[in-house]
Amino acid sequence: MSPLLIVAAAVVALLLYVIVSYNKLVRLRNECAEGFSSIDVQLKRRADLVPNLVESVKAYASHENTVFTRVTEARAATLAAASIPQKEAAHVLMQSALTGLLGIAEAYPELRAVETFTALQAELSDTEDKIAAARRYYNATTRRYNTALDQIPTNVIAGATGFERREFFSIEDPADREPVAVKL
Amino acid sequence: MTLQQQIRANRFRTALVLLGFAVLVAALALAISVAYEPGLAGFIGIGAIAYGIFSWFFAGRMVAAASGAHRVTKEQYPELHRTVENAAIGAGMPRTPDIYVIEDTAPNAFAAGRDPKHAYVAATTGLMEKLSKRELEGVIAHEIAHIRNRDVRLMSLAAVLVGVIALVSDMLMRMTLFGGGRNREGNALTMVVGIAAMILAPIGAMLLQMSLSRRREYLADASAAEITGDGEGLALALAKLRDDHTPLHKVTRATAHLYIESPLRDHKGLRSSLGGLFDTHPPLEERISRLAEAGGFPAP
């Protein structure tokens, strides 16, 4: 084999490797985006439950205005948020506001007997579960994507083609930011 | 092994299963034509191809029919529906799979179907009764992981292709042994060839099916722990399945490998005397301890 052929083969192999790695990064980036939109759907769904929840609690505890205002504000923040940090901030706000709202409900046994309220409460807790599930998927995917961006040699390809790190969404355990080795 | 690698490996193995099916059918056709009538081979070949194509599209439904699973709505089983929905979100699947229920007190579950768009999760009523919410989430996440990892097509195809080979060769073996062969008085050698092939075909089919199961169970367990973020829930569920010995009624060798835990574990007749060689599932103890090790909790 002539040296030229060897060089040509090496160049082709390198090129193929670059293409495969690039495609992998694109795929991971898309998965992150899909994962985030799934969180977004659930955040909106939760925000949509707020007006009805407020209405039903108001019927029994109309004087608790600060709590209602907080929840309504959190809802507005959720709907207005555009970037990931904004959405995360709105999510934290909403969580504490809802905790306050449900805390009031605890104090009114007659409210807990109202069917519409218990149905709303069940739907709320289901939505919270879905947010948690979507968040887990998004954070796991983001971790994989960020790890790929850090690794040699994909980091060179990523740097040259403009891939950027993604931010985690409201992660509880700091250890979850670190890449994990899956043992099989 | 990453998810993408697993998906690729599954495609490759699906091709192998189809090839294996073709080889076994050929062996069977040869045996039949030698023992009975040479012209039969062509018919068997055409029939097998038609059946193969049919199976590719309808394996999921065939499995449902064979295991007595029927489709249920969100209103009938809201709790189960919610669990499946949440696991699908946690796995990043764009669509919630259909949900099937088997009326049986034995706690067990499986997933089947052609691809993530045409897949379903089936659970027994016993599973819903006996498991806590957390444990049910673990089991359902395991099944969702099978769907996401593209295990379902391979497993469903194996079930229906192996099933039909087992059925046909069983029938033929009886015919050969208890009369009905036209060439009985003829060449003894052809009879020996025929019988040998008829015995080998089901064994080959079983080996084919077994080659599918074990590692994908470990992988689905690990994926389930990631989906729910709670490996201990699944480990507790597996421990409960280990301690429960209620037999599942509608189960055959062909569908056993689909379930989260082998329904033939306690079945003396169907569980081969060869022991571990024919087991479709890794031992529950081993699966539990792997989950415990990865999750850092004591094995239940």
PDB file of all heavy atoms in Angstrom, chain A residues 27 31 34 38 42 126 129-130 133-134 136-137 140 143-144 182-184, chain B residues 1 4 82 85-86 89-92 133 218-219 222 226-229 290 293:
ATOM      1  N   ARG A  27     -28.062  14.678  18.560  1.00  0.00           N
ATOM      2  CA  ARG A  27     -29.124  13.853  19.132  1.00  0.00           C
ATOM      3  C   ARG A  27     -29.329  14.171  20.609  1.00  0.00           C
ATOM      4  O   ARG A  27     -30.455  14.356  21.074  1.00  0.00           O
ATOM      5  CB  ARG A  27     -28.773  12.371  18.947  1.00  0.00           C
ATOM      6  CG  ARG A  27     -29.822  11.423  19.466  1.00  0.00           C
ATOM      7  CD  ARG A  27     -29.512   9.986  19.100  1.00  0.00           C
ATOM      8  NE  ARG A  27     -28.145   9.582  19.428  1.00  0.00           N
ATOM      9  CZ  ARG A  27     -27.710   9.368  20.654  1.00  0.00           C
ATOM     10  NH1 ARG A  27     -28.518   9.504  21.682  1.00  0.00           N
ATOM     11  NH2 ARG A  27     -26.460   9.020  20.882  1.00  0.00           N
ATOM     12  N   GLU A  31     -32.550  15.687  22.536  1.00  0.00           N
ATOM     13  CA  GLU A  31     -33.191  15.006  23.663  1.00  0.00           C
ATOM     14  C   GLU A  31     -33.356  15.948  24.849  1.00  0.00           C
ATOM     15  O   GLU A  31     -34.368  15.922  25.532  1.00  0.00           O
ATOM     16  CB  GLU A  31     -32.379  13.774  24.072  1.00  0.00           C
ATOM     17  CG  GLU A  31     -32.645  12.581  23.173  1.00  0.00           C
ATOM     18  CD  GLU A  31     -31.796  11.374  23.523  1.00  0.00           C
ATOM     19  OE1 GLU A  31     -31.159  11.372  24.600  1.00  0.00           O
ATOM     20  OE2 GLU A  31     -31.761  10.440  22.721  1.00  0.00           O
ATOM     21  N   GLU A  34     -36.255  18.254  24.074  1.00  0.00           N
ATOM     22  CA  GLU A  34     -37.531  17.551  24.252  1.00  0.00           C
ATOM     23  C   GLU A  34     -37.840  17.359  25.726  1.00  0.00           C
ATOM     24  O   GLU A  34     -38.969  17.540  26.168  1.00  0.00           O
ATOM     25  CB  GLU A  34     -37.475  16.174  23.583  1.00  0.00           C
ATOM     26  CG  GLU A  34     -37.717  16.209  22.089  1.00  0.00           C
ATOM     27  CD  GLU A  34     -37.244  14.920  21.425  1.00  0.00           C
ATOM     28  OE1 GLU A  34     -37.207  13.878  22.106  1.00  0.00           O
ATOM     29  OE2 GLU A  34     -36.902  14.975  20.236  1.00  0.00           O
ATOM     30  N   SER A  38     -41.039  18.857  27.913  1.00  0.00           N
ATOM     31  CA  SER A  38     -41.930  18.015  28.708  1.00  0.00           C
ATOM     32  C   SER A  38     -42.100  18.586  30.123  1.00  0.00           C
ATOM     33  O   SER A  38     -43.198  18.532  30.695  1.00  0.00           O
ATOM     34  CB  SER A  38     -41.376  16.596  28.708  1.00  0.00           C
ATOM     35  OG  SER A  38     -41.751  15.893  29.835  1.00  0.00           O
ATOM     36  N   GLN A  42     -45.787  20.316  31.875  1.00  0.00           N
ATOM     37  CA  GLN A  42     -46.325  20.035  33.207  1.00  0.00           C
ATOM     38  C   GLN A  42     -46.372  21.284  34.077  1.00  0.00           C
ATOM     39  O   GLN A  42     -47.291  21.451  34.881  1.00  0.00           O
ATOM     40  CB  GLN A  42     -45.505  18.936  33.884  1.00  0.00           C
ATOM     41  CG  GLN A  42     -45.490  17.613  33.133  1.00  0.00           C
ATOM     42  CD  GLN A  42     -46.872  17.071  32.849  1.00  0.00           C
ATOM     43  OE1 GLN A  42     -47.836  17.357  33.568  1.00  0.00           O
ATOM     44  NE2 GLN A  42     -47.010  16.309  31.783  1.00  0.00           N
ATOM     45  N   ASP A 126     -50.680  14.726  41.272  1.00  0.00           N
ATOM     46  CA  ASP A 126     -50.271  13.970  40.084  1.00  0.00           C
ATOM     47  C   ASP A 126     -49.354  14.815  39.204  1.00  0.00           C
ATOM     48  O   ASP A 126     -48.336  14.339  38.701  1.00  0.00           O
ATOM     49  CB  ASP A 126     -51.512  13.533  39.302  1.00  0.00           C
ATOM     50  CG  ASP A 126     -51.161  12.778  38.043  1.00  0.00           C
ATOM     51  OD1 ASP A 126     -50.201  11.971  38.099  1.00  0.00           O
ATOM     52  OD2 ASP A 126     -51.804  12.978  37.006  1.00  0.00           O
ATOM     53  N   ASP A 129     -45.956  14.956  40.591  1.00  0.00           N
ATOM     54  CA  ASP A 129     -45.216  13.722  40.262  1.00  0.00           C
ATOM     55  C   ASP A 129     -44.680  13.781  38.842  1.00  0.00           C
ATOM     56  O   ASP A 129     -43.564  13.339  38.560  1.00  0.00           O
ATOM     57  CB  ASP A 129     -46.133  12.496  40.385  1.00  0.00           C
ATOM     58  CG  ASP A 129     -46.384  12.116  41.838  1.00  0.00           C
ATOM     59  OD1 ASP A 129     -45.699  12.674  42.710  1.00  0.00           O
ATOM     60  OD2 ASP A 129     -47.267  11.277  42.076  1.00  0.00           O
ATOM     61  N   LYS A 130     -45.495  14.300  37.930  1.00  0.00           N
ATOM     62  CA  LYS A 130     -45.084  14.354  36.529  1.00  0.00           C
ATOM     63  C   LYS A 130     -43.953  15.357  36.340  1.00  0.00           C
ATOM     64  O   LYS A 130     -43.038  15.131  35.554  1.00  0.00           O
ATOM     65  CB  LYS A 130     -46.280  14.710  35.645  1.00  0.00           C
ATOM     66  CG  LYS A 130     -47.267  13.568  35.517  1.00  0.00           C
ATOM     67  CD  LYS A 130     -48.310  13.864  34.467  1.00  0.00           C
ATOM     68  CE  LYS A 130     -49.067  12.610  34.077  1.00  0.00           C
ATOM     69  NZ  LYS A 130     -49.779  11.960  35.177  1.00  0.00           N
ATOM     70  N   ALA A 133     -40.899  13.593  37.447  1.00  0.00           N
ATOM     71  CA  ALA A 133     -40.436  12.602  36.459  1.00  0.00           C
ATOM     72  C   ALA A 133     -39.772  13.293  35.276  1.00  0.00           C
ATOM     73  O   ALA A 133     -38.695  12.892  34.825  1.00  0.00           O
ATOM     74  CB  ALA A 133     -41.615  11.746  35.986  1.00  0.00           C
ATOM     75  N   ALA A 134     -40.423  14.352  34.779  1.00  0.00           N
ATOM     76  CA  ALA A 134     -39.871  15.071  33.629  1.00  0.00           C
ATOM     77  C   ALA A 134     -38.539  15.708  33.988  1.00  0.00           C
ATOM     78  O   ALA A 134     -37.592  15.725  33.198  1.00  0.00           O
ATOM     79  CB  ALA A 134     -40.856  16.135  33.165  1.00  0.00           C
ATOM     80  N   ARG A 136     -36.414  14.622  36.234  1.00  0.00           N
ATOM     81  CA  ARG A 136     -35.398  13.567  36.325  1.00  0.00           C
ATOM     82  C   ARG A 136     -34.860  13.224  34.951  1.00  0.00           C
ATOM     83  O   ARG A 136     -33.654  13.092  34.753  1.00  0.00           O
ATOM     84  CB  ARG A 136     -36.019  12.319  36.952  1.00  0.00           C
ATOM     85  CG  ARG A 136     -35.497  12.020  38.305  1.00  0.00           C
ATOM     86  CD  ARG A 136     -35.930  10.703  38.867  1.00  0.00           C
ATOM     87  NE  ARG A 136     -37.237  10.237  38.482  1.00  0.00           N
ATOM     88  CZ  ARG A 136     -38.346  10.485  39.170  1.00  0.00           C
ATOM     89  NH1 ARG A 136     -38.318  11.205  40.264  1.00  0.00           N
ATOM     90  NH2 ARG A 136     -39.496  10.008  38.753  1.00  0.00           N
ATOM     91  N   TYR A 137     -35.785  13.085  33.995  1.00  0.00           N
ATOM     92  CA  TYR A 137     -35.340  12.752  32.642  1.00  0.00           C
ATOM     93  C   TYR A 137     -34.487  13.876  32.067  1.00  0.00           C
ATOM     94  O   TYR A 137     -33.418  13.644  31.519  1.00  0.00           O
ATOM     95  CB  TYR A 137     -36.547  12.496  31.730  1.00  0.00           C
ATOM     96  CG  TYR A 137     -36.140  12.294  30.288  1.00  0.00           C
ATOM     97  CD1 TYR A 137     -35.491  11.127  29.908  1.00  0.00           C
ATOM     98  CD2 TYR A 137     -36.344  13.279  29.329  1.00  0.00           C
ATOM     99  CE1 TYR A 137     -35.086  10.943  28.605  1.00  0.00           C
ATOM    100  CE2 TYR A 137     -35.948  13.102  28.028  1.00  0.00           C
ATOM    101  CZ  TYR A 137     -35.315  11.929  27.672  1.00  0.00           C
ATOM    102  OH  TYR A 137     -34.902  11.749  26.378  1.00  0.00           O
ATOM    103  N   ALA A 140     -31.045  14.000  33.725  1.00  0.00           N
ATOM    104  CA  ALA A 140     -30.198  12.860  33.332  1.00  0.00           C
ATOM    105  C   ALA A 140     -29.678  13.065  31.912  1.00  0.00           C
ATOM    106  O   ALA A 140     -28.500  12.802  31.630  1.00  0.00           O
ATOM    107  CB  ALA A 140     -30.986  11.555  33.420  1.00  0.00           C
ATOM    108  N   ARG A 143     -27.112  15.785  31.856  1.00  0.00           N
ATOM    109  CA  ARG A 143     -25.835  15.310  32.390  1.00  0.00           C
ATOM    110  C   ARG A 143     -25.074  14.539  31.311  1.00  0.00           C
ATOM    111  O   ARG A 143     -23.874  14.721  31.140  1.00  0.00           O
ATOM    112  CB  ARG A 143     -26.091  14.427  33.612  1.00  0.00           C
ATOM    113  CG  ARG A 143     -24.827  14.085  34.371  1.00  0.00           C
ATOM    114  CD  ARG A 143     -25.147  13.424  35.679  1.00  0.00           C
ATOM    115  NE  ARG A 143     -25.943  12.216  35.469  1.00  0.00           N
ATOM    116  CZ  ARG A 143     -27.134  12.021  35.992  1.00  0.00           C
ATOM    117  NH1 ARG A 143     -27.681  12.930  36.762  1.00  0.00           N
ATOM    118  NH2 ARG A 143     -27.787  10.915  35.752  1.00  0.00           N
ATOM    119  N   ARG A 144     -25.789  13.702  30.570  1.00  0.00           N
ATOM    120  CA  ARG A 144     -25.134  12.951  29.493  1.00  0.00           C
ATOM    121  C   ARG A 144     -24.572  13.898  28.433  1.00  0.00           C
ATOM    122  O   ARG A 144     -23.459  13.724  27.953  1.00  0.00           O
ATOM    123  CB  ARG A 144     -26.142  12.008  28.826  1.00  0.00           C
ATOM    124  CG  ARG A 144     -26.162  10.633  29.450  1.00  0.00           C
ATOM    125  CD  ARG A 144     -26.904   9.655  28.552  1.00  0.00           C
ATOM    126  NE  ARG A 144     -28.350   9.775  28.717  1.00  0.00           N
ATOM    127  CZ  ARG A 144     -29.043   9.116  29.645  1.00  0.00           C
ATOM    128  NH1 ARG A 144     -28.435   8.296  30.464  1.00  0.00           N
ATOM    129  NH2 ARG A 144     -30.336   9.262  29.751  1.00  0.00           N
ATOM    130  N   VAL A 182     -22.452   3.945  34.590  1.00  0.00           N
ATOM    131  CA  VAL A 182     -23.483   2.918  34.703  1.00  0.00           C
ATOM    132  C   VAL A 182     -22.810   1.557  34.636  1.00  0.00           C
ATOM    133  O   VAL A 182     -22.104   1.236  33.687  1.00  0.00           O
ATOM    134  CB  VAL A 182     -24.526   3.047  33.583  1.00  0.00           C
ATOM    135  CG1 VAL A 182     -25.519   1.898  33.663  1.00  0.00           C
ATOM    136  CG2 VAL A 182     -25.241   4.374  33.696  1.00  0.00           C
ATOM    137  N   LYS A 183     -23.013   0.768  35.686  1.00  0.00           N
ATOM    138  CA  LYS A 183     -22.428  -0.579  35.697  1.00  0.00           C
ATOM    139  C   LYS A 183     -23.470  -1.578  35.257  1.00  0.00           C
ATOM    140  O   LYS A 183     -24.596  -1.529  35.730  1.00  0.00           O
ATOM    141  CB  LYS A 183     -21.953  -0.925  37.111  1.00  0.00           C
ATOM    142  CG  LYS A 183     -20.525  -0.517  37.361  1.00  0.00           C
ATOM    143  CD  LYS A 183     -20.018  -1.125  38.642  1.00  0.00           C
ATOM    144  CE  LYS A 183     -20.795  -0.620  39.827  1.00  0.00           C
ATOM    145  NZ  LYS A 183     -20.383  -1.228  41.086  1.00  0.00           N
ATOM    146  N   LEU A 184     -23.091  -2.451  34.373  1.00  0.00           N
ATOM    147  CA  LEU A 184     -24.068  -3.448  33.926  1.00  0.00           C
ATOM    148  C   LEU A 184     -23.510  -4.846  34.098  1.00  0.00           C
ATOM    149  O   LEU A 184     -22.339  -5.059  34.012  1.00  0.00           O
ATOM    150  CB  LEU A 184     -24.425  -3.219  32.465  1.00  0.00           C
ATOM    151  CG  LEU A 184     -25.231  -1.941  32.220  1.00  0.00           C
ATOM    152  CD1 LEU A 184     -25.400  -1.716  30.740  1.00  0.00           C
ATOM    153  CD2 LEU A 184     -26.590  -2.021  32.887  1.00  0.00           C
TER     154      LEU A 184
ATOM    155  N   MET B   1     -22.720  -0.048  28.601  1.00  0.00           N
ATOM    156  CA  MET B   1     -23.505  -0.089  27.367  1.00  0.00           C
ATOM    157  C   MET B   1     -24.526   1.048  27.378  1.00  0.00           C
ATOM    158  O   MET B   1     -25.344   1.153  28.284  1.00  0.00           O
ATOM    159  CB  MET B   1     -24.226  -1.434  27.308  1.00  0.00           C
ATOM    160  CG  MET B   1     -25.057  -1.566  26.095  1.00  0.00           C
ATOM    161  SD  MET B   1     -24.650  -3.059  25.224  1.00  0.00           S
ATOM    162  CE  MET B   1     -26.133  -3.940  25.298  1.00  0.00           C
ATOM    163  N   GLN B   4     -28.131   3.713  23.073  1.00  0.00           N
ATOM    164  CA  GLN B   4     -28.008   3.575  21.617  1.00  0.00           C
ATOM    165  C   GLN B   4     -27.382   2.238  21.241  1.00  0.00           C
ATOM    166  O   GLN B   4     -27.799   1.590  20.295  1.00  0.00           O
ATOM    167  CB  GLN B   4     -27.166   4.726  21.038  1.00  0.00           C
ATOM    168  CG  GLN B   4     -27.821   6.081  21.167  1.00  0.00           C
ATOM    169  CD  GLN B   4     -29.223   6.103  20.604  1.00  0.00           C
ATOM    170  OE1 GLN B   4     -29.455   5.632  19.505  1.00  0.00           O
ATOM    171  NE2 GLN B   4     -30.173   6.621  21.371  1.00  0.00           N
ATOM    172  N   ARG B  82     -51.948   6.356  35.620  1.00  0.00           N
ATOM    173  CA  ARG B  82     -51.085   7.438  36.089  1.00  0.00           C
ATOM    174  C   ARG B  82     -49.649   6.959  36.244  1.00  0.00           C
ATOM    175  O   ARG B  82     -48.710   7.652  35.870  1.00  0.00           O
ATOM    176  CB  ARG B  82     -51.617   7.934  37.441  1.00  0.00           C
ATOM    177  CG  ARG B  82     -51.397   9.397  37.677  1.00  0.00           C
ATOM    178  CD  ARG B  82     -52.117   9.845  38.928  1.00  0.00           C
ATOM    179  NE  ARG B  82     -53.552   9.708  38.836  1.00  0.00           N
ATOM    180  CZ  ARG B  82     -54.324   9.223  39.816  1.00  0.00           C
ATOM    181  NH1 ARG B  82     -53.796   8.803  40.948  1.00  0.00           N
ATOM    182  NH2 ARG B  82     -55.621   9.140  39.660  1.00  0.00           N
ATOM    183  N   GLU B  85     -48.126   6.556  32.851  1.00  0.00           N
ATOM    184  CA  GLU B  85     -47.905   7.886  32.281  1.00  0.00           C
ATOM    185  C   GLU B  85     -46.645   8.527  32.861  1.00  0.00           C
ATOM    186  O   GLU B  85     -45.792   9.037  32.132  1.00  0.00           O
ATOM    187  CB  GLU B  85     -49.126   8.741  32.628  1.00  0.00           C
ATOM    188  CG  GLU B  85     -49.477   9.801  31.622  1.00  0.00           C
ATOM    189  CD  GLU B  85     -50.821  10.424  31.993  1.00  0.00           C
ATOM    190  OE1 GLU B  85     -51.091  10.654  33.193  1.00  0.00           O
ATOM    191  OE2 GLU B  85     -51.604  10.667  31.084  1.00  0.00           O
ATOM    192  N   ASN B  86     -46.529   8.474  34.197  1.00  0.00           N
ATOM    193  CA  ASN B  86     -45.380   9.102  34.840  1.00  0.00           C
ATOM    194  C   ASN B  86     -44.075   8.409  34.478  1.00  0.00           C
ATOM    195  O   ASN B  86     -43.057   9.081  34.288  1.00  0.00           O
ATOM    196  CB  ASN B  86     -45.565   9.092  36.361  1.00  0.00           C
ATOM    197  CG  ASN B  86     -46.678  10.013  36.802  1.00  0.00           C
ATOM    198  OD1 ASN B  86     -47.291  10.705  35.977  1.00  0.00           O
ATOM    199  ND2 ASN B  86     -46.968  10.032  38.079  1.00  0.00           N
ATOM    200  N   ILE B  89     -43.072   9.557  31.076  1.00  0.00           N
ATOM    201  CA  ILE B  89     -42.475  10.899  31.123  1.00  0.00           C
ATOM    202  C   ILE B  89     -41.044  10.808  31.643  1.00  0.00           C
ATOM    203  O   ILE B  89     -40.125  11.400  31.085  1.00  0.00           O
ATOM    204  CB  ILE B  89     -43.321  11.838  32.015  1.00  0.00           C
ATOM    205  CG1 ILE B  89     -44.660  12.134  31.344  1.00  0.00           C
ATOM    206  CG2 ILE B  89     -42.578  13.142  32.275  1.00  0.00           C
ATOM    207  CD1 ILE B  89     -45.622  12.901  32.214  1.00  0.00           C
ATOM    208  N   GLY B  90     -40.859  10.026  32.699  1.00  0.00           N
ATOM    209  CA  GLY B  90     -39.533   9.875  33.276  1.00  0.00           C
ATOM    210  C   GLY B  90     -38.539   9.249  32.318  1.00  0.00           C
ATOM    211  O   GLY B  90     -37.337   9.461  32.426  1.00  0.00           O
ATOM    212  N   ALA B  91     -39.044   8.460  31.370  1.00  0.00           N
ATOM    213  CA  ALA B  91     -38.174   7.811  30.390  1.00  0.00           C
ATOM    214  C   ALA B  91     -38.010   8.686  29.152  1.00  0.00           C
ATOM    215  O   ALA B  91     -37.300   8.308  28.224  1.00  0.00           O
ATOM    216  CB  ALA B  91     -38.745   6.457  29.990  1.00  0.00           C
ATOM    217  N   GLY B  92     -38.686   9.825  29.131  1.00  0.00           N
ATOM    218  CA  GLY B  92     -38.577  10.721  27.981  1.00  0.00           C
ATOM    219  C   GLY B  92     -39.270  10.177  26.750  1.00  0.00           C
ATOM    220  O   GLY B  92     -38.845  10.444  25.629  1.00  0.00           O
ATOM    221  N   LYS B 133     -47.612   1.591  46.084  1.00  0.00           N
ATOM    222  CA  LYS B 133     -47.480   2.553  44.987  1.00  0.00           C
ATOM    223  C   LYS B 133     -46.036   2.612  44.492  1.00  0.00           C
ATOM    224  O   LYS B 133     -45.764   2.553  43.302  1.00  0.00           O
ATOM    225  CB  LYS B 133     -47.925   3.929  45.496  1.00  0.00           C
ATOM    226  CG  LYS B 133     -47.817   5.042  44.495  1.00  0.00           C
ATOM    227  CD  LYS B 133     -48.506   6.307  44.996  1.00  0.00           C
ATOM    228  CE  LYS B 133     -48.473   7.416  43.968  1.00  0.00           C
ATOM    229  NZ  LYS B 133     -47.330   8.314  44.091  1.00  0.00           N
ATOM    230  N   TYR B 218     -31.270  -7.124  33.508  1.00  0.00           N
ATOM    231  CA  TYR B 218     -30.426  -6.272  34.349  1.00  0.00           C
ATOM    232  C   TYR B 218     -30.458  -4.826  33.850  1.00  0.00           C
ATOM    233  O   TYR B 218     -30.556  -3.883  34.622  1.00  0.00           O
ATOM    234  CB  TYR B 218     -28.971  -6.750  34.323  1.00  0.00           C
ATOM    235  CG  TYR B 218     -28.730  -8.020  35.079  1.00  0.00           C
ATOM    236  CD1 TYR B 218     -28.083  -9.094  34.488  1.00  0.00           C
ATOM    237  CD2 TYR B 218     -29.128  -8.148  36.401  1.00  0.00           C
ATOM    238  CE1 TYR B 218     -27.847 -10.268  35.174  1.00  0.00           C
ATOM    239  CE2 TYR B 218     -28.899  -9.320  37.106  1.00  0.00           C
ATOM    240  CZ  TYR B 218     -28.258 -10.379  36.486  1.00  0.00           C
ATOM    241  OH  TYR B 218     -28.030 -11.527  37.175  1.00  0.00           O
ATOM    242  N   LEU B 219     -30.368  -4.693  32.529  1.00  0.00           N
ATOM    243  CA  LEU B 219     -30.349  -3.346  31.954  1.00  0.00           C
ATOM    244  C   LEU B 219     -31.673  -2.630  32.220  1.00  0.00           C
ATOM    245  O   LEU B 219     -31.693  -1.449  32.574  1.00  0.00           O
ATOM    246  CB  LEU B 219     -30.074  -3.419  30.453  1.00  0.00           C
ATOM    247  CG  LEU B 219     -29.944  -2.069  29.762  1.00  0.00           C
ATOM    248  CD1 LEU B 219     -28.728  -1.323  30.276  1.00  0.00           C
ATOM    249  CD2 LEU B 219     -29.836  -2.228  28.254  1.00  0.00           C
ATOM    250  N   ALA B 222     -31.752  -1.456  35.761  1.00  0.00           N
ATOM    251  CA  ALA B 222     -30.936  -0.258  35.955  1.00  0.00           C
ATOM    252  C   ALA B 222     -31.644   0.966  35.368  1.00  0.00           C
ATOM    253  O   ALA B 222     -31.655   2.037  35.982  1.00  0.00           O
ATOM    254  CB  ALA B 222     -29.562  -0.441  35.310  1.00  0.00           C
ATOM    255  N   GLU B 226     -33.239   4.540  37.145  1.00  0.00           N
ATOM    256  CA  GLU B 226     -32.983   5.905  36.680  1.00  0.00           C
ATOM    257  C   GLU B 226     -34.303   6.636  36.415  1.00  0.00           C
ATOM    258  O   GLU B 226     -34.440   7.822  36.716  1.00  0.00           O
ATOM    259  CB  GLU B 226     -32.126   5.873  35.412  1.00  0.00           C
ATOM    260  CG  GLU B 226     -31.538   7.226  35.083  1.00  0.00           C
ATOM    261  CD  GLU B 226     -30.774   7.217  33.777  1.00  0.00           C
ATOM    262  OE1 GLU B 226     -29.733   6.539  33.711  1.00  0.00           O
ATOM    263  OE2 GLU B 226     -31.240   7.871  32.831  1.00  0.00           O
ATOM    264  N   ILE B 227     -35.272   5.911  35.833  1.00  0.00           N
ATOM    265  CA  ILE B 227     -36.547   6.545  35.483  1.00  0.00           C
ATOM    266  C   ILE B 227     -37.289   7.021  36.724  1.00  0.00           C
ATOM    267  O   ILE B 227     -37.798   8.138  36.768  1.00  0.00           O
ATOM    268  CB  ILE B 227     -37.427   5.548  34.685  1.00  0.00           C
ATOM    269  CG1 ILE B 227     -36.830   5.344  33.295  1.00  0.00           C
ATOM    270  CG2 ILE B 227     -38.860   6.056  34.576  1.00  0.00           C
ATOM    271  CD1 ILE B 227     -37.462   4.199  32.528  1.00  0.00           C
ATOM    272  N   THR B 228     -37.353   6.180  37.753  1.00  0.00           N
ATOM    273  CA  THR B 228     -38.106   6.570  38.948  1.00  0.00           C
ATOM    274  C   THR B 228     -37.227   7.287  39.964  1.00  0.00           C
ATOM    275  O   THR B 228     -37.742   7.918  40.879  1.00  0.00           O
ATOM    276  CB  THR B 228     -38.702   5.338  39.663  1.00  0.00           C
ATOM    277  OG1 THR B 228     -37.624   4.465  40.023  1.00  0.00           O
ATOM    278  CG2 THR B 228     -39.674   4.592  38.789  1.00  0.00           C
ATOM    279  N   GLY B 229     -35.918   7.171  39.806  1.00  0.00           N
ATOM    280  CA  GLY B 229     -35.023   7.738  40.807  1.00  0.00           C
ATOM    281  C   GLY B 229     -35.127   6.988  42.125  1.00  0.00           C
ATOM    282  O   GLY B 229     -34.773   7.500  43.178  1.00  0.00           O
ATOM    283  N   ARG B 290     -27.966  -6.463  42.776  1.00  0.00           N
ATOM    284  CA  ARG B 290     -27.364  -5.483  41.870  1.00  0.00           C
ATOM    285  C   ARG B 290     -28.003  -4.108  42.046  1.00  0.00           C
ATOM    286  O   ARG B 290     -27.323  -3.080  42.004  1.00  0.00           O
ATOM    287  CB  ARG B 290     -27.520  -5.915  40.424  1.00  0.00           C
ATOM    288  CG  ARG B 290     -26.535  -6.998  40.039  1.00  0.00           C
ATOM    289  CD  ARG B 290     -26.436  -7.114  38.545  1.00  0.00           C
ATOM    290  NE  ARG B 290     -25.711  -8.319  38.192  1.00  0.00           N
ATOM    291  CZ  ARG B 290     -25.182  -8.547  37.007  1.00  0.00           C
ATOM    292  NH1 ARG B 290     -25.316  -7.637  36.051  1.00  0.00           N
ATOM    293  NH2 ARG B 290     -24.545  -9.652  36.749  1.00  0.00           N
ATOM    294  N   GLU B 293     -26.756  -2.656  45.294  1.00  0.00           N
ATOM    295  CA  GLU B 293     -25.375  -2.191  45.188  1.00  0.00           C
ATOM    296  C   GLU B 293     -25.307  -0.844  44.473  1.00  0.00           C
ATOM    297  O   GLU B 293     -24.640   0.087  44.907  1.00  0.00           O
ATOM    298  CB  GLU B 293     -24.562  -3.230  44.416  1.00  0.00           C
ATOM    299  CG  GLU B 293     -23.078  -3.123  44.625  1.00  0.00           C
ATOM    300  CD  GLU B 293     -22.341  -4.049  43.676  1.00  0.00           C
ATOM    301  OE1 GLU B 293     -22.835  -5.180  43.467  1.00  0.00           O
ATOM    302  OE2 GLU B 293     -21.318  -3.637  43.132  1.00  0.00           O
TER     303      GLU B 293
END
